[in-house]
Amino acid sequence: KIAQKMPDFLLRRIIPNTKILEITLNRPAVLNSLNLEMCNEIIDILKRLNNSETNKNYINAFIVKGSGGKAFCAGGDVKSVWIDVKGLPADVVGSGCPGFLHSDFFRKEYTMNYLLQSSLRPQISLWDGIVMGGGVGVSVFGEFRVATEKTLFAMPETAIGLFPDVASAAWLPHLPSGYGLYIGLTGCRLKSADLMHTKIATHYVSSDRLNELEATLAETVIPNDPIDARKRIKGVLDHVQNGLKPDTANSLIIPQAELISFFLTVVALVKHIPWKISSHCCKRKPVNHTQWQQKNGLIRLFRLFQSYRL
């Protein structure tokens, strides 16, 4: 059964009489960063949960949380990946060949992201602390995302020139008021008020009430039907939140709403105005003039707005 195997890096237990599986990311010394073994274990859990033959009337929802009190998950274990890459020949690095940690880790991480996004079982993510990079990927696709006053959310990989990772292109464009583009370009760090304002988080509960939330869920029998299960869980979360709102004092998005709106307007202009490229800009014309112009303009705009990142 799912609950019997309990590796050190991933703790699992079934909350009695509820049909809820609780998954705890358990690497507090490294802020619960994901490694290959954790991704493999989560994939195995999700395949069982989504298979009617192995999960018939068994688990109808699952909670994901972090241990240690500082982080939900600070991302992937890139240190291990870097150590693996350093000792490999140049023709192997980036080839995607299986059997190497840097290839296997990202392949498994993205598989895990896909299974989380396509899971029929409701996921409740408790964002009590740092949520970054891979930590976003292991939780943001869940239907219920609970922030606390300790939540710090970001996609920091954009600051080193990488695209927003872990399938973020699937959810960033759906944020209201174009905030997804701003977050994707700047990699800004968001607090709980920002997460509620942008609807990245679905609920807000103070950190000292998370035990109460879990206790209330423990008293709730989750129905087999996924739609009914979602309604039941939402009712519990709404009840525990009870109208509580996060403090906006440390918000990034709310005080700078006008600035961000201006930023998005300029982006729209950069994308649609056909800028003229003179011959001294480049000796050889690019294959696609328009795309080259747009990319150059966005890069310059990105560098300008880097100064507004926290």
Side-chain angles (χ1 to χ4, degrees):
K1 290 184 179 181
I2 293 177
Q4 290 178 338
K5 188 179 179 182
M6 296 180 66
D8 292 337
F9 44 79
L10 200 71
L11 305 180
R12 294 174 284 178
R13 74 181 184 98
I14 298 171
I15 301 176
N17 305 317
T18 63
K19 298 187 177 180
I20 298 177
L21 175 67
E22 182 183 81
I23 302 172
T24 303
L25 309 177
N26 189 39
R27 299 183 72 203
V30 288
L31 301 178
N32 300 320
S33 60
L34 294 169
N35 59 20
L36 178 60
E37 290 76 13
M38 294 168 78
C39 292
N40 281 329
E41 290 293 333
I42 293 173
I43 288 171
D44 180 63
I45 291 172
L46 293 170
K47 285 182 176 179
R48 295 188 184 202
L49 294 184
N50 293 328
N51 188 324
S52 58
E53 296 299 322
T54 57
N55 188 40
K56 194 170 185 179
N57 299 323
Y58 190 52
I59 299 298
N60 294 331
F62 61 103
I63 298 171
V64 182
K65 64 179 187 177
S67 65
K70 292 184 178 179
F72 170 80
C73 175
D77 188 359
V78 292
K79 180 179 179 181
S80 298
V81 173
W82 172 244
I83 292 172
D84 174 65
V85 167
K86 282 173 58 177
L88 294 176
D91 59 336
V92 173
V93 177
S95 65
C97 295
F100 299 98
L101 178 61
H102 72 283
S103 299
D104 293 344
F105 172 74
F106 289 107
R107 184 178 292 109
K108 292 295 185 179
E109 185 182 26
Y110 297 151
T111 300
M112 175 188 69
N113 297 150
Y114 169 76
L115 291 174
L116 286 165
Q117 191 276 336
S118 59
S119 176
L120 295 176
R121 307 297 168 185
Q123 176 183 349
I124 308 155
S125 303
L126 304 182
W127 285 345
D128 191 33
I130 297 171
V131 186
M132 294 187 180
V136 175
V138 80
S139 57
V140 78
F141 294 112
E143 184 145 1
F144 304 103
R145 304 171 296 277
V146 182
T148 74
E149 73 279 3
K150 294 164 57 179
T151 305
L152 181 63
F153 181 103
M155 302 298 294
E157 63 271 18
T158 61
I160 60 172
L162 184 64
F163 54 85
D165 202 6
V166 290
S168 293
W171 60 270
L172 281 173
H174 298 285
L175 297 185
S177 304
Y179 287 130
L181 180 59
Y182 177 79
I183 295 168
L185 283 176
T186 64
C188 55
R189 297 186 176 189
L190 306 179
K191 299 294 185 67
S192 53
D194 300 311
L195 296 173
M196 292 296 290
H197 181 72
T198 57
K199 303 188 185 305
I200 298 175
T202 60
H203 293 82
Y204 174 78
V205 175
S206 60
S207 184
D208 58 5
R209 294 190 64 195
L210 285 178
N211 288 337
E212 177 188 344
L213 171 60
E214 292 188 65
T216 307
L217 285 170
E219 298 171 355
T220 306
V221 178
I222 305 302
N224 295 332
D225 181 75
I227 296 177
D228 292 338
R230 284 166 169 78
K231 290 180 180 178
R232 187 74 58 85
I233 294 169
K234 184 178 184 302
V236 171
L237 295 177
D238 289 346
H239 172 74
V240 175
Q241 181 175 339
N242 194 27
L244 182 65
K245 295 182 180 180
D247 184 7
T248 60
N250 297 320
S251 169
L252 169 71
I253 294 288
I254 297 173
Q256 300 193 76
E258 291 185 6
L259 175 65
I260 294 170
S261 177
F262 170 75
F263 162 75
L264 296 172
T265 302
V266 176
V267 168
L269 291 173
V270 170
K271 290 174 66 177
H272 293 101
I273 292 180
W275 291 14
K276 181 179 179 181
I277 302 179
S278 57
S279 58
H280 70 270
C281 291
C282 56
K283 294 181 180 180
R284 183 177 180 181
K285 291 184 179 181
V287 176
N288 189 322
H289 241 178
T290 304
Q291 288 185 1
W292 188 90
Q293 294 163 2
Q294 292 176 0
K295 183 178 179 182
N296 248 350
L298 286 172
I299 289 174
R300 291 180 183 180
L301 191 63
F302 166 75
R303 288 172 179 168
L304 171 65
F305 275 81
Q306 279 288 77
S307 60
Y308 293 104
R309 275 197 322 113
L310 295 184

